[in-house]
Amino acid sequence: MNTKTFFQDFELFADAPNGVEKLRELILQLAVQGKLVPQNPDDEPASVLLEKIKKEKERLIKEGKIKRSKSLSPVDVDEIAFGLPHGWEWVRLGEVTRKLGAGSTPKGGKKVYQKTGIKFLRSQNVWNDGLRIENVAYIPLQIHQRMSGTHVEPGDILLNITGASIGRSSVVPDNFDEGNVSQHVAIVRLIDKSIRCFIHISLISSYVQNLIMGVQVGISREGLSMSSLKDFLIPLPPFHEAKRIVAKVDALMKLCDELETRQQKKRDRILKLGQVATTKLITPSTPESFKQHWKTISDNFDLLYSTPENVSQLRQAILQLAVMGKLVPQNPDDEPASVLLEKIKEEKERLIKEGKNKKSKKLPPVDVGEMAFEVPQGWEWVRLGELTIFGPRNGYSPKPVEYLTSVKTLTLSATTSGKFDSQHFKYIDKQIEPDSHLWLENQDLLIQRANSLEYVGVAAIYKGNAKEFIYPDLMMKIRFPKYLDINYLYQTINSKSSRRFLRERASGTSGSMPKINQLTVNSLPIPLPSLTEQHRIVTKVNQLMKLCDELEAKLTQSISDRDKLMSAAVRQVLAA
């Protein structure tokens, strides 16, 4: 595949994962390798342009406008990253610049900033697509005048040289009035500013970005030294070809913007379709309208759930339908949940009598306002605390150690996904008694009592050997009697309505980790069907979740295939 055929399929490759971003990178790389536009044998070679730059530099030195800098080492063949077209030249950045230096921060730092004055450009103002000065700082005129070495001129190229934004670069527009830069930004001022746009393209290309990442200095924070920057090898095309390259890059970047906008609109449309479909499904309605909504989803499954976000919504909808009693038909022969509640009550009283459990504080009945939806006949609204025979009870989190011990404690990551993952644990050097409540047993339910709002209240079932792990302080453990299906309760706690209940009651000040307490968990309203219906619901949910897994696997494979196609095409184009 050559450049011409690649750009004929431009829009096709844009659908690959991060496709538009990769297209932008490819455009820049093709530009600096001389593969973006055809060469014209009538163009003056870059050597002529270089000679003009050298003469101008000598004139500026002679007139005392710039100082003569230390000679740069000649280009070594081992430094050359790729071959260049006829008429191009490799040149060190210091050879074509009259100024290459970092800015500085005024004495007093942020204290001297003011609402008006001279613009003080910092790394957050420098972006590859141009300066962003909406949040620019200002300094007084007298400080600006004292900091003459950091003055910014129209046509300068600014380059971030420290921090997370290192390598980001902007061309200062021609209508820029005056300003200074901080010590985190370098000024690259060319002798011939007419080639500034091509040099900027080179600086933000993956070729130079890799150079920047390869020569960072500083232990505590990344940084790029000016001596390293001066030595960077830059590919220089003939003057007129540079102009053609810049025009082509601008046109293709505009096309990338349009593709990105179209893709985002398409993605938003698909997401909205999926949201509307799932919302209609879980909104209380007649059995007939529910069947119709479910049929609509079934008939348009691939369209409605063609993004990972929509599959996630579908999972939540399945759980919500399950706890609303809409996923499986009711059986009038099932004994009602009220009978089940009596059995649980008797079991709890027996355990209290035998000293295996403590009598807990009586919970108030579920108020009508707390019932998130109407449940089918035979179901009951009940507080979670009425169903437990142990807990909820917090775990234990002593300081972990780096060596192997006999006690492993889970970390939050073990249950964040909503599924138990035994790989996430740490060792602690503490003696835990064999009869301690901290030891986990198979089918114990774990709830995250503290995490970000996205995860606080997430439940997972422990599936493993008894007394293999203890659980941390940021989790609660709950155990239920045999009259309940632990999988149904797990699905209910992770459903949309339950998660909302827990999130809305999470405490925590600004900046601190949201937490839920034991009373909140005990107070969670649970829609309870008969045990046989619980089993039917769990079976149906598992079937549908398996379908979601298969759909996600297809999506993942499709994304991977598009990514491989894009990568192969890019390699071919760059090698052509």
Side-chain angles (χ1 to χ4, degrees):
M1 178 177 287
N2 56 33
T3 306
K4 184 178 179 181
T5 55
F6 180 86
F7 285 114
Q8 286 174 351
D9 296 324
F10 201 73
E11 294 194 34
L12 172 65
F13 292 114
D15 284 331
N18 300 314
V20 175
E21 182 182 337
K22 290 178 181 177
L23 284 173
R24 287 194 177 105
E25 290 177 7
L26 177 63
I27 291 163
L28 296 174
Q29 193 60 24
L30 290 171
V32 299
Q33 289 187 215
K35 295 181 177 182
L36 197 61
V37 299
Q39 279 72 49
N40 185 341
D42 295 331
D43 288 342
E44 281 187 339
S47 57
V48 175
L49 175 60
L50 266 179
E51 195 57 39
K52 291 177 181 177
I53 290 171
K54 285 178 183 177
K55 286 181 180 178
E56 177 63 12
K57 193 168 190 176
E58 285 299 322
R59 185 186 69 78
L60 292 170
I61 293 169
K62 201 170 190 178
E63 293 177 3
K65 293 180 179 178
I66 61 173
K67 292 180 180 179
R68 188 178 297 279
S69 56
K70 186 180 176 182
S71 295
L72 297 165
S73 56
V75 176
D76 190 287
V77 68
D78 293 334
E79 295 178 274
I80 295 174
F82 44 82
L84 294 176
H86 180 71
W88 286 50
E89 296 283 344
W90 282 106
V91 59
R92 297 201 186 277
L93 186 59
E95 293 180 61
V96 295
T97 54
R98 60 182 293 181
K99 178 181 178 62
L100 208 161
S104 64
T105 296
K107 190 176 180 181
K110 292 182 179 179
K111 291 179 181 177
V112 303
Y113 293 171
Q114 52 188 38
K115 292 183 178 179
T116 59
I118 307 299
K119 286 183 281 293
F120 185 66
L121 302 172
R122 297 167 291 168
S123 55
Q124 58 262 51
N125 303 120
V126 177
W127 292 80
N128 290 345
D129 58 357
L131 288 178
R132 299 183 189 179
I133 57 174
E134 297 82 7
N135 63 340
V136 73
Y138 292 92
I139 56 175
L141 176 62
Q142 57 270 32
I143 292 178
H144 164 69
Q145 291 169 338
R146 287 201 302 267
M147 296 171 61
S148 59
T150 70
H151 286 187
V152 176
E153 297 178 3
D156 284 348
I157 302 171
L158 304 183
L159 177 69
N160 289 351
I161 55 174
T162 67
S165 66
I166 187 169
R168 225 160 55 197
S169 176
S170 295
V171 176
V172 179
D174 292 335
N175 61 356
F176 187 84
D177 46 10
E178 54 187 348
N180 298 75
V181 289
S182 76
Q183 76 270 27
H184 305 300
V185 182
I187 297 173
V188 180
R189 185 169 297 151
L190 300 173
I191 295 168
D192 184 349
K193 289 189 178 182
S194 66
I195 59 170
R196 63 189 181 278
C197 292
F198 178 82
I199 298 298
H200 175 251
I201 286 170
S202 297
L203 291 178
I204 62 175
S205 71
S206 58
Y207 160 64
V208 173
Q209 291 294 302
N210 289 335
L211 290 180
I212 291 171
M213 295 304 157
V215 297
Q216 294 175 75
V217 295
I219 297 172
S220 60
R221 193 177 185 188
E222 302 97 344
L224 176 63
S225 70
M226 293 302 98
S227 59
S228 296
L229 189 56
K230 284 179 183 178
D231 278 333
F232 278 4
L233 278 184
I234 301 293
L236 188 68
F239 177 79
H240 292 293
E241 187 173 346
K243 293 288 187 185
R244 294 197 300 273
I245 290 171
V246 170
K248 186 69 172 179
V249 168
D250 287 345
L252 290 174
M253 289 300 180
K254 185 178 179 183
L255 177 57
C256 284
D257 292 341
E258 292 170 0
L259 286 174
E260 204 165 43
T261 300
R262 287 213 301 267
Q263 283 182 329
Q264 190 57 50
K265 285 181 178 178
K266 179 182 175 183
R267 189 179 185 83
D268 290 345
R269 192 163 56 248
I270 292 171
L271 282 171
K272 190 172 182 179
L273 283 171
Q275 288 169 353
V276 169
T278 50
T279 299
K280 285 182 177 179
L281 200 61
I282 62 177
T283 302
S285 56
T286 63
E288 290 74 23
S289 63
F290 172 76
K291 288 177 182 176
Q292 183 58 46
H293 293 322
W294 183 253
K295 186 176 185 303
T296 300
I297 284 178
S298 301
D299 292 345
N300 300 277
F301 202 72
D302 288 345
L303 171 64
L304 293 171
Y305 301 101
S306 58
T307 67
E309 294 91 337
N310 272 2
V311 177
S312 177
Q313 289 174 9
L314 180 60
R315 289 185 189 278
Q316 274 297 315
I318 289 167
L319 291 180
Q320 194 60 36
L321 290 167
V323 301
M324 292 170 73
K326 290 187 173 185
L327 208 56
V328 298
Q330 280 71 51
N331 186 340
D333 295 332
D334 290 341
E335 64 178 21
S338 56
V339 175
L340 180 59
L341 283 172
E342 278 302 313
K343 292 178 182 178
I344 295 169
K345 186 178 178 183
E346 289 171 6
E347 174 70 4
K348 292 182 79 165
E349 288 174 352
R350 181 185 67 78
L351 291 171
I352 292 168
K353 199 179 244 186
E354 294 175 1
K356 295 178 181 177
N357 213 344
K358 292 181 180 179
K359 191 165 187 175
S360 56
K361 186 178 179 182
K362 188 174 177 62
L363 294 163
V366 178
D367 186 83
V368 173
E370 295 177 284
M371 298 175 186
F373 43 83
E374 188 177 339
V375 294
Q377 188 175 2
W379 288 42
E380 295 285 342
W381 277 104
V382 58
R383 305 274 183 198
L384 182 65
E386 296 177 62
L387 305 176
T388 63
I389 55 172
F390 175 89
R393 193 163 175 184
N394 299 359
Y396 177 50
S397 294
K399 189 176 180 180
V401 295
E402 297 298 323
Y403 48 87
L404 274 64
T405 70
S406 60
V407 183
K408 296 184 287 188
T409 181
L410 299 177
T411 63
L412 274 179
S413 298
T415 60
T416 300
S417 67
K419 294 180 181 179
F420 173 68
D421 187 343
S422 63
Q423 296 181 3
H424 299 284
F425 68 88
K426 293 181 179 179
Y427 289 100
I428 61 168
D429 196 359
K430 296 286 182 181
Q431 186 69 34
I432 306 296
E433 295 300 322
D435 61 348
S436 170
H437 79 276
L438 293 169
W439 290 112
L440 290 169
E441 294 184 12
N442 192 41
Q443 300 295 296
D444 281 345
L445 189 79
L446 294 168
I447 293 182
Q448 297 204 0
R449 74 176 189 88
N451 205 328
S452 66
L453 274 179
E454 184 181 357
Y455 298 110
V456 69
V458 165
I461 300 172
Y462 171 70
K463 295 178 180 180
N465 299 324
K467 295 182 172 56
E468 184 178 355
F469 295 97
I470 67 169
Y471 63 105
D473 178 57
L474 295 181
M475 289 185 196
M476 298 181 196
K477 183 179 82 173
I478 302 176
R479 198 167 287 161
F480 297 98
K482 61 185 178 182
Y483 305 109
L484 294 167
D485 189 324
I486 180 69
N487 294 288
Y488 172 76
L489 292 166
Y490 155 74
Q491 292 166 358
T492 303
I493 294 168
N494 282 334
S495 69
K496 191 173 182 178
S497 53
S498 294
R499 293 298 312 286
R500 188 190 305 118
F501 178 92
L502 296 173
R503 276 197 300 267
E504 288 175 351
R505 287 155 182 80
S507 62
T509 57
S510 177
S512 67
M513 186 181 285
K515 295 180 178 68
I516 51 175
N517 57 32
Q518 294 173 9
L519 178 59
T520 296
V521 173
N522 273 327
S523 301
L524 177 65
I526 298 290
L528 188 69
S530 68
L531 182 58
T532 51
E533 187 165 351
Q534 290 176 40
H535 293 330
R536 292 199 302 274
I537 289 171
V538 168
T539 299
K540 188 66 174 179
V541 167
N542 289 341
Q543 288 173 352
L544 293 173
M545 289 300 179
K546 186 179 178 183
L547 180 64
C548 288
D549 291 340
E550 291 170 358
L551 180 58
E552 270 185 330
K554 283 170 62 179
L555 282 172
T556 302
Q557 186 60 53
S558 174
I559 290 169
S560 176
D561 290 344
R562 293 200 303 271
D563 187 40
K564 288 177 183 175
L565 179 64
M566 174 73 167
S567 299
V570 167
R571 284 195 300 270
Q572 287 181 29
V573 171
L574 290 175

